Each structure stands twice: as C-alpha cells, then as structure tokens.
Amino acid sequence: MALFVQKFGGSSVADAECMQRVAQRVYDTRAEGHEVVVVLSAMGKTTDNLIQLARQVNAQPDEREMDMLLSTGEQVSVSILAMALHAMGAEAVSLTGPQAGISTDTAHTKAKITDIQPQRIREQLDRGRIVIVCGFQGLTPTHDIATLGRGGSDTTAVALAAALQADRCQIFTDVDGVYTADPRQVPQASKLDCIAYDEMLELASLGAKVLQSRSVEFAKKYHVELEVLTSFDRRPGTIVKDEVTEMEHIIVRGVAADKNQAKVTIQHVPDRPGVAARLFKELAAANVNVDMIVQNVSEKGQTDISFTVPLDEVNRTRTAVDGLIEEIGAAGAFYDVDIAKISIVGVGMRSHSGVAFRMFDALSAHKINVEMISTSEIKISVVIRSAYADQAVQVLHAAFELDKVNEPVS
Ligand code: ASP
Ligand code: MG
C-alpha cells in the first residue's frame, strides 16, 4: 500500500463528464489498495471568470475579499468530486484548505504556505476514506482565507505530499508530460521520461508552463517525486526528481523560447564606479525583473549597457530609466520589443564541454544572429530577433538530437 497525492488541474475537472473520469481514476487507485489524497483546482476557467466578475464591480478589488471569492472555485470542485465518488460507492470526504490544516502567511492573493498540520487528513485516511482537498488556499494567522497565486494548486499538492510523506505526487493536466520543446513549435518534440528538478525550474521560468515554479522548488526542497501526466488516458507521464548521474548522459534536455522579453540599451554610459549600481537600484525600486545584462567594452570612457526585462514591465522600466539618463550622463535609451530569448537546458552541461560552441554554430549555420548571451551551470540563453524564434528552437532541437532523448545510451 502506497500513499498517492493526485492533483487535477482546471481542464481535468472542467465539467461533470471530466469529474466522472477523475472520479474513476481516483477510485481505481484506491481499489488497488492505495491511500489517496486528491487536490483539485477550480473547474475549467472558473478562476478567470471570478476575477472578471470582481472587476465588473470594482477596478481594484480588495485582496482579502478577492481571496474570499477565488477560494470558492475550488470548493465547488472538491464537493462535486466527493459526490461523484459517493455515487460510485466509494467513501470520500472533501476539505477546504483551512479544514485540511493548511496555514499561510497574510500575503493575500499570493500567500505562501507556512505550515501544514495533516492530522485531520491522516485520520480520514485511517478510516479508509479518499480525502479531497481544495488546492490554492489556506488560513492566515488572523483566520482569513488566503490564496496562493495563480496555478497554486500544484504547490498545495506538493506541500501535502511532503507533509504526509506520500510515495508520489501525481500532477494530472491536459498535456501528457514534459516535452523537449513546445510541440506546437517543434513537431518532433519528444516527451521526456524524466527530468531533474533544476532542469524543470529553468524550463518553467522560460515559459514552459507545465508546473508552477514554486511547486517545483518545494518538491526539490523536500525531495517529493513528481509525475506530470494526463487525466485523459492512462499512459505514464514524466517523472520530475532529484538529479542522478545517469541524467548527465543527456547534455541538453530541453529548448525553450521566451517571446515575452524586451531589450533595453542605455547608450554611452560613463564607465565609472557606481553608475551600474545607480541604474539597477532604480530598476529594483520600480520592481522590474531584470534578466540578462551585457556591458560592452568601454571606448573613450563610455560604454553601452543592455539588459532584458519582461515585456509587460517595459513601461515601468521606461519611467525608471528615462528619469535617470541625465543624472548618470548617458546619451539615451533604446527599447527593443522584437526580441526572443532562446535557451537550452540540461544538467549534462555540468560535465560536458563544447555545448556553447554547438549552439552558436547551429544558429550561425542558419544565419541567425546572436545579440546577447548568458549562461548558468545548466543553461545557455541567447537573445535573437523574435521573427527567428521558432526556427531557432527547431534548429537547436535538431542540433542536440532531442528527438532521440529517451533512447538508452549505448
Ligand atoms: N484555480 C487557481 C488558478 O486558476 C489555482 C490553480 O488552478 O492551480 O490559478
Ligand atoms: Mg492550473
């Protein structure tokens, strides 16, 4: 007998028919003799619709009230699933986040889980019941309900798996696993059998929106083995787990494009101590998420500084930067929104050399110009013209033979 945490996302519980499919899946796991804790998201687009509804009556709704509202979506899901299971003759009970012992901080609409007291869940499991918990919510120290930020049900599932020391946390979604690239961009993309937490984190932050990043961080910290799989059929998915040596045989495990970036170039910045600090202090104060930073070799005591920011933070960046140009003695600033960031990710890069060369060589063979470069231990990113993004992903997918990624090494 094992303990499974099974999380089903909004698309898996979108209507009554989906609910029955989920109920069957949960029922079968229980019938195999396992204990099951289910975590659900709100049905379909419920959360989006609730946000819209709130905005119709108030352009800036109070965050405590917003949480009061949004948390109802998950309550609908859990009670409906419990009823569907009862109809099948199964013993099941639904619990809200607070009833399940989930505590959060007071950061409404983006709260963090601070503690889980799983006694009530444990007690219900001991009675032979399937326990169904609302994802995405918990109780603040002031006894208010708080939500965990969009996609937060993944985090609820992982946190519960850690607290209950579950054998596995299965995340059911509308894709059947994690792919080497977005299959819409690369038809040859293959589903990965497994991926390391760090690789998944890099790919998640690159816009491969399979799992909420915070849930992967949580899983890594508590060594919770995750499986990403579809609720629409019974094939195995992708396991997300601790890095093991065999994983390094594969140099690159995924390639991703992020088109939601803009490049800012500050021209003719005086090359003296304190200027960069002044600039990035201002950007930090404006809450701008700076990603890649490049400073050119200085010529005649002046240099250009370029950096990337998320597209939806360009306006904030412009306000912060434009007010500073004169003070730091720069010539001006230039904003370029037609860029894409292309990244290759793989833990194998730690132990293999020549990866950057292969990447740049493949891009240059297709006359794709590299404008910025940044690297980490397991990732290389480049900035290119956005018009070439899809082509670049395809070229790199082929260059690193990602269509063969699951084949056993000879
Ligand atoms: N229902 C919430 C959302 O749509 C939480 C989740 O689905 O994980 O963001
Ligand atoms: Mg979701």
Side-chain angles (χ1 to χ4, degrees), residues 164-205:
L164 291 160
Q165 298 185 307
D167 295 279
R168 181 167 290 176
C169 181
Q170 295 180 307
I171 309 279
F172 291 87
T173 171
D174 51 359
V175 294
D176 56 0
V178 182
Y179 278 75
T180 49
D182 184 337
R184 285 167 303 184
Q185 268 174 338
V186 186
Q188 302 86 343
S190 34
K191 190 177 81 187
L192 292 159
D193 295 338
C194 69
I195 184 169
Y197 295 125
D198 286 333
E199 293 171 327
M200 190 67 227
L201 282 168
E202 292 286 9
L203 288 168
S205 70

Side-chain angles (χ1 to χ4, degrees), residues 7 9-10 41 150-154:
K7 182 259 170 180
S41 289
R150 299 307 306 271
S153 299
D154 289 347

